[in-house]
Amino acid sequence: MNNVLFAFGLTLFAGLCTGIGSAIAFFTKKTNTKFLSISLGFSAGVMIYVSMVEIFFKAKTSLTNELGLKIGSWVTVIAFFGGMLLIALIDKLIPSGENPHDMYKIEDMNDNNRHLDNKLLRMGIFTALAVGIHNFPEGLATFISALQEPSIAIPIAVAIAIHNIPEGIAVSVPVYYATGDRKKAFFYSFLSGLSEPIGALVGYLILMPFINDLIFGILFASVAGIMVFISLDELLPSAREYGEHHLSIYGLVAGMIVMAISLLLFI
């Protein structure tokens, strides 16, 4: 039971960091592109390293123990790319104009630029919905990781939390543009992050009665695929859009080093 509460707590923390992004937008005048670029790269490094080095092989071990070496190895690979396919399909279903990967800067919230526009409000609300849809499998990923391996769940949650900060800005800016209401912009941003703990709750209610080594192995391999795809499709391109390509790579390497050291400490 303690593990379940720990997993929910981590997932809630990661999800609500969209609210931090929104709060940053309201209390600072300018986007710190260097900080965001390094942070997003760091997050990608953590997620790629832990997925490929730790999660994938734990999933493979679990599945080969259940199904044998050959079939277990095949199922691991299929589940890994299945996770990628799931998140890619979610991406494809979201119209590009309302995709949460579109970058916004805090200085866009200048009152002189703001104008009331229903289209912008619609875009902001749909961006919040898109972020929510994206965060749902991330919530499940964090929750499953925390249940299976609490030692690797904390850096995963931190990485997803960092990734959620610019998404919070992406929701807040168009809603504020359209309404001039900071509270409403923060509310939609905060709300979009709640889908991560909801993803964890759905995972707990639907999957927990059936959990065994086979299900855990498939889920864990899928989680690895989801996190690698998010890193390559969202985090690194977002870091580049903020205009600091080399800093994002330095952040990526730093994230990998930190993740590697943290895993070595738990041996």
Side-chain angles (χ1 to χ4, degrees), residues 2 5 22 27 50-51 64-65 75 81 83 96 118 123 157 171 178 181-182 194 206-207 210 243 254:
N2 283 343
L5 292 175
S22 186
F27 292 110
V50 76
S51 296
T64 52
N65 286 341
V75 172
F81 288 108
S96 58
N118 286 333
M123 188 180 84
V171 174
D181 189 334
R182 290 176 186 268
L194 287 178
I206 294 176
L207 297 173
F210 311 102

Side-chain angles (χ1 to χ4, degrees), residues 186-205:
F186 179 81
F187 173 75
Y188 281 116
S189 173
F190 185 81
L191 202 60
S192 67
L194 287 178
S195 68
E196 280 196 24
I198 291 171
L201 184 63
V202 169
Y204 178 73
L205 293 176

Side-chain angles (χ1 to χ4, degrees), residues 53-108:
V53 173
E54 188 78 1
I55 294 177
F56 182 89
F57 286 100
K58 285 190 180 295
K60 185 178 178 183
T61 300
S62 181
L63 288 169
T64 52
N65 286 341
E66 284 287 307
L67 302 172
L69 181 60
K70 188 170 184 178
I71 295 175
S73 298
W74 272 99
V75 172
T76 305
V77 170
I78 291 167
F80 177 78
F81 288 108
M84 288 189 170
L85 180 63
L86 171 67
I87 199 76
L89 286 173
I90 288 172
D91 242 5
K92 198 72 177 171
L93 292 171
I94 298 170
S96 58
E98 285 141 4
N99 200 299
H101 308 164
D102 293 340
M103 291 299 104
Y104 293 87
K105 293 185 178 180
I106 294 160
E107 48 268 39
D108 291 339

Side-chain angles (χ1 to χ4, degrees), residues 60-244:
K60 185 178 178 183
T61 300
S62 181
L63 288 169
T64 52
N65 286 341
E66 284 287 307
L67 302 172
L69 181 60
K70 188 170 184 178
I71 295 175
S73 298
W74 272 99
V75 172
T76 305
V77 170
I78 291 167
F80 177 78
F81 288 108
M84 288 189 170
L85 180 63
L86 171 67
I87 199 76
L89 286 173
I90 288 172
D91 242 5
K92 198 72 177 171
L93 292 171
I94 298 170
S96 58
E98 285 141 4
N99 200 299
H101 308 164
D102 293 340
M103 291 299 104
Y104 293 87
K105 293 185 178 180
I106 294 160
E107 48 268 39
D108 291 339
M109 296 180 71
N110 189 308
D111 282 332
N112 296 327
N113 293 330
R114 181 177 58 76
H115 58 280
L116 300 178
D117 190 329
N118 286 333
K119 286 185 179 178
L120 274 173
L121 179 59
R122 180 179 175 273
M123 188 180 84
I125 292 170
F126 269 90
T127 301
L129 182 62
V131 169
I133 293 168
H134 272 80
N135 287 357
F136 189 87
E138 290 171 17
L140 182 59
T142 309
F143 182 72
I144 294 296
S145 301
L147 280 184
Q148 182 79 344
E149 286 292 331
S151 62
I152 65 172
I154 294 173
I156 289 171
V158 170
I160 291 176
I162 291 169
H163 150 234
N164 284 345
I165 289 172
E167 289 187 351
I169 296 171
V171 174
S172 293
V173 171
V175 174
Y176 178 72
Y177 249 88
T179 65
D181 189 334
R182 290 176 186 268
K183 287 181 181 178
K184 185 174 283 188
F186 179 81
F187 173 75
Y188 281 116
S189 173
F190 185 81
L191 202 60
S192 67
L194 287 178
S195 68
E196 280 196 24
I198 291 171
L201 184 63
V202 169
Y204 178 73
L205 293 176
I206 294 176
L207 297 173
M208 285 307 287
F210 311 102
I211 284 294
N212 54 35
D213 282 347
L214 177 64
I215 300 296
F216 249 130
I218 291 170
L219 283 173
F220 229 38
S222 301
V223 161
I226 287 169
M227 292 204 295
V228 169
F229 188 90
I230 287 168
S231 300
L232 298 177
D233 183 57
E234 297 182 30
L235 301 182
L236 292 176
S238 296
R240 288 193 68 176
E241 281 196 43
Y242 280 116
E244 300 287 345

Side-chain angles (χ1 to χ4, degrees), residues 21 24-25 28-40 103-107 165-166 169 238-239 241-244 247:
I24 288 171
T28 57
K29 297 294 183 185
K30 192 174 180 182
T31 304
N32 187 335
T33 54
K34 289 184 178 181
F35 171 76
L36 274 178
S37 204
I38 292 171
S39 297
L40 289 167
M103 291 299 104
Y104 293 87
K105 293 185 178 180
I106 294 160
E107 48 268 39
I165 289 172
I169 296 171
S238 296
E241 281 196 43
Y242 280 116
E244 300 287 345
L247 289 178

